Amino acid sequence: MKNGTGGTGTLGERPTAAATPWLYLDGDFVRMSEVRLTPSIQALNYGTGVFEGIRAYWNSAQQELYALRLRDHYERFADSCGFLRLDLPASADELVDVTVDLLRRNGHRGHTYIRPLAYKRSFEPGVPFGVKLRGVTTSLSLHTVPMGSTVSGLGLRCGVSSWRRIPDTSLPARAKITGGYANNALAVDEVHAAGFDEAILLNQAGTVAEASTSNVFLVRRGELVTPPPSADILEGITRACVTELARDELGTVPVERAVARSELYTADEVFLTGTGIEIQPVCEVDGRKVGRGVPGPVTTRLRELYHRAVRGEDDRYRHWLTPVEL
Ligand SMILES: Cc1ncc(COP(=O)(O)O)c(C=O)c1O
């Protein structure tokens, strides 16, 4: 992989005179302001890109930045790329190294979000115009933005969307495909208009799939329950963290099974898990209180454990973290 500076790419934001953050684009580190977007990019036209969302947590006491489960994210990224025939020019380990390098260059001493994106760019010479996966070049970019943590979550008011999650037989939710997120955006748009904070989507079978950018858990009759991968969900890495924490700290392994919409109304606790949203209690679904309408004990305990683990405050979960010396 190249590791230089300079060059002009194809993705990005409006240029500004001030020095803008570094991003990684097709083998080079370039300034965000140097990058231009061209409307002919295939992925922009057809949604043929895949992405990841990764967090790095700043521990101010230790003056250390910790990137969370980098390798797991890049393994999922590679799977998504394979699905869309995107030629990833680097291994998961190489992408971990590039990410650490990018975080160092940007030097942000605060919680940070990392966005890897691989996308279909342009037709190879001689390839005729059209919607296709073969004969189209791949671009790879990584950029970072400061993103605070949500430690003080009091509970989200969720609405079940009338839009169903795209089924595996149409566009697999297990791959993070850019075009597929129009489905999530429609659901969010609908529930925001109805005054809710977040959307929960059902699958074609009418059981709970996931929220717009997170997985769903519920506590009901003493069981911790979450929909299985076959319910048309993204197999979340935060979901995997919660499974590990629940097993190690609460002595319970989440039961993966189909979840009826009505179970959300009758659960003692509901919470969402995702890189961006972290672990968020749900206090209301479709205008009905979950439990007493406040975060329950299981959710609260898992949140506390998670927030400590991702900040490098719990040595038992150090294996989740890649330290980044700034
Ligand atoms: C649709 C969807 N489901 C679930 C998740 C949670 O996945 P993770 O915990 O890996 O961030 C995300 C976020 O990436 C998502 O976009």
Side-chain angles (χ1 to χ4, degrees):
M1 296 174 78
K2 284 191 279 171
N3 198 15
T5 55
T8 301
T10 46
L11 261 182
E13 311 271 301
R14 221 176 307 150
T16 62
T20 52
W22 291 104
L23 65 80
Y24 176 86
L25 182 63
D26 294 330
D28 284 323
F29 288 98
V30 296
R31 292 283 186 187
M32 189 73 105
S33 55
E34 293 172 26
V35 173
R36 303 284 183 279
L37 182 77
T38 76
S40 62
I41 291 172
Q42 290 298 289
L44 192 57
N45 288 266
Y46 304 126
T48 45
V50 307
F51 66 103
E52 273 300 319
I54 310 173
R55 266 186 186 269
Y57 287 88
W58 175 244
N59 183 317
S60 51
Q62 297 172 13
Q63 290 289 296
E64 190 90 70
L65 188 66
Y66 292 109
L68 180 61
R69 299 192 70 154
L70 276 184
R71 205 166 193 294
D72 296 317
H73 278 283
Y74 284 121
E75 280 171 8
R76 187 171 70 185
F77 190 54
D79 287 348
S80 298
C81 283
F83 185 73
L84 277 197
R85 298 190 189 284
L86 286 155
D87 298 321
L88 201 49
S91 67
D93 285 333
E94 285 171 327
L95 291 172
V96 168
D97 292 344
V98 171
T99 306
V100 168
D101 200 348
L102 181 64
L103 287 167
R104 273 205 199 110
R105 278 169 185 264
N106 283 331
H108 180 61
R109 302 169 85 82
H111 304 320
T112 304
Y113 186 77
I114 305 145
R115 168 53 56 86
L117 173 68
Y119 57 100
K120 293 286 182 190
R121 192 178 50 200
S122 45
F123 296 119
E124 286 166 4
V127 174
F129 184 86
V131 181
K132 57 189 73 173
L133 296 178
R134 293 169 202 250
V136 188
T137 62
T138 297
S139 262
L140 169 67
S141 75
L142 266 77
H143 74 273
T144 66
V145 285
M147 184 185 273
S149 177
T150 54
V151 184
S152 63
L154 294 175
L156 297 170
R157 296 174 52 252
C158 291
V160 175
S161 172
S162 66
W163 293 102
R164 296 285 170 102
R165 191 81 183 99
I166 305 176
D168 195 75
T169 48
S170 297
L171 195 64
R174 74 176 69 241
K176 269 181 90 71
I177 298 170
T178 55
Y181 277 73
N183 176 230
N184 313 43
L186 284 170
V188 170
D189 181 66
E190 179 187 34
V191 305
H192 279 180
F196 297 111
D197 302 320
E198 171 58 328
I200 292 177
L201 290 99
L202 307 180
N203 53 33
Q204 298 293 318
T207 64
V208 174
E210 57 185 348
S212 71
T213 55
S214 55
N215 295 114
V216 177
F217 281 82
L218 56 152
V219 178
R220 190 159 184 269
R221 298 192 174 148
E223 255 184 358
L224 184 58
V225 181
T226 191
S230 57
D232 292 322
I233 65 164
L234 180 76
E235 291 163 289
I237 290 165
T238 322
R239 178 179 180 273
C241 291
V242 164
T243 298
E244 210 172 318
L245 290 172
R247 184 196 61 207
D248 296 351
E249 313 293 333
L250 309 181
T252 176
V253 177
V255 179
E256 291 192 358
R257 64 161 175 80
V259 173
R261 175 184 190 160
S262 56
E263 288 186 271
L264 298 175
Y265 299 168
T266 53
D268 300 315
E269 300 182 38
V270 176
F271 61 91
L272 307 181
T273 66
T275 297
I277 207 170
E278 302 171 306
I279 299 178
Q280 279 293 328
V282 173
C283 60
E284 212 180 283
V285 178
D286 291 340
R288 292 152 178 93
K289 271 187 191 171
V290 174
R292 295 193 178 149
V294 293
V298 174
T299 311
T300 305
R301 180 80 186 116
L302 287 168
R303 291 189 80 228
E304 284 166 2
L305 289 163
Y306 182 77
H307 281 283
R308 279 176 51 74
V310 298
R311 286 163 176 74
E313 292 169 4
D314 188 335
D315 285 343
R316 292 169 301 175
Y317 299 100
R318 280 275 168 159
H319 59 283
W320 291 358
L321 308 175
T322 305
V324 181
E325 278 178 32
L326 294 182

